[in-house]
Amino acid sequence: MNDSAAAAGPVAEPRGKLPPWLVRTIFGASAVVVLVAGYLIASVTVPLMWANSIRDQIGGQLGNSIPLGMFYGFVFVFVPILIVWQARRKKFNKWVRVSFVVLGLLLTIPNLLTLGVLHGSSQSAIDARTIWANSANWFGTWSQVFMVVGVVCAVALIVLGRMWLRRGRKVREIKAAQKRVRENEAAKVRAAKGAARDAEKAAKTAARDSRRNPRNNSSNTPEA
């Protein structure tokens, strides 16, 4: 059988899969191409879309640009920081923590768009700034100011919250220690009372036995 197999010629080896490094390279290059294309498209279209959206929300009243800028600047920094901060809690599984990070990053998009309009160098960003200069001239300034305020407030809340939790933990530990001390003291008091009752019962029993058996007591008494 071996001779016949050898005579049949060499067996063709099955084609192997692509090496892992090549697969990763292809996926990485594809992702880079998609990101670059998305960035180029977004840099042309998104600034104008965001500028027109803010203009429409202001509704032609320049005074509305201040509270709107305060709202966007504060909320879309303050809330994302607090959400991303939850990802550090180990009681959540990995995917929940990743979801917190993704959600926090998504909520920063309005402020990222504002910063892209204010500091972008593309023609689309320049046109968007022109739209705001005529319809929402205070939006960008107050939005940036309250981005800083939102960061400061979020960090302050996190620090104060950690201090409060640490203080509460220490208070609970002190109360637990005091409770243990009180329980130990109460146990000692109960033990002392129990021992006193047992001694009293023993004395009463001895006195009762001595009254019941006076002859035994007299016989046990030595004669003079």
Side-chain angles (χ1 to χ4, degrees):
M1 292 179 66
N2 294 335
D3 294 338
S4 61
V11 179
E13 296 182 358
R15 294 182 179 179
K17 297 181 179 179
L18 292 176
W21 66 267
L22 182 57
V23 174
R24 289 194 294 268
T25 302
I26 293 173
F27 275 107
S30 301
V32 170
V33 171
V34 171
L35 289 175
V36 171
Y39 173 77
L40 293 175
I41 295 172
S43 64
V44 175
T45 59
V46 172
L48 287 175
M49 293 173 59
W50 182 242
N52 290 324
S53 174
I54 295 300
R55 181 192 61 190
D56 295 339
Q57 292 178 55
I58 290 173
Q61 299 181 2
L62 295 178
N64 293 339
S65 62
I66 296 176
L68 190 64
M70 294 165 64
F71 171 78
Y72 274 106
F74 182 85
V75 171
F76 292 101
V77 166
F78 180 80
V79 175
I81 291 175
L82 296 183
I83 291 176
V84 172
W85 180 253
Q86 304 306 312
R88 57 177 291 277
R89 295 191 176 185
K90 295 182 179 180
K91 67 178 183 180
F92 299 118
N93 62 43
K94 179 180 68 174
W95 295 112
V96 174
R97 294 159 72 180
V98 170
S99 300
F100 280 136
V101 174
V102 172
L103 179 60
L105 293 176
L106 289 175
L107 288 175
T108 61
I109 289 177
N111 282 333
L112 294 177
L113 294 175
T114 299
L115 293 175
V117 170
L118 295 175
H119 303 288
S121 58
S122 65
Q123 185 60 42
S124 179
I126 294 172
D127 294 339
R129 286 196 294 271
T130 303
I131 293 174
W132 282 357
N134 297 323
S135 60
N137 54 348
W138 290 105
F139 175 81
T141 301
W142 284 97
S143 185
Q144 291 182 102
V145 169
F146 272 78
M147 288 180 199
V148 178
V149 174
V151 171
V152 172
C153 291
V155 173
L157 182 61
I158 290 171
V159 172
L160 293 176
R162 287 178 61 84
M163 293 173 60
W164 179 261
L165 292 175
R166 191 179 296 113
R167 179 181 177 276
R169 188 160 49 246
K170 290 182 178 179
V171 170
R172 288 192 296 270
E173 291 175 355
I174 293 172
K175 288 183 177 180
Q178 292 175 347
K179 183 179 179 181
R180 287 193 296 269
V181 171
R182 289 195 299 269
E183 289 176 350
N184 292 333
E185 291 178 351
K188 291 179 181 178
V189 171
R190 287 193 299 269
K193 289 182 178 179
R197 284 195 299 268
D198 293 341
E200 184 179 358
K201 288 181 180 180
K204 289 180 179 179
T205 302
R208 188 164 50 249
D209 292 341
S210 63
R211 286 194 300 271
R212 290 178 179 177
N213 302 312
R215 293 179 180 179
N216 293 336
N217 294 334
S218 61
S219 63
N220 291 333
T221 304
E223 295 181 355

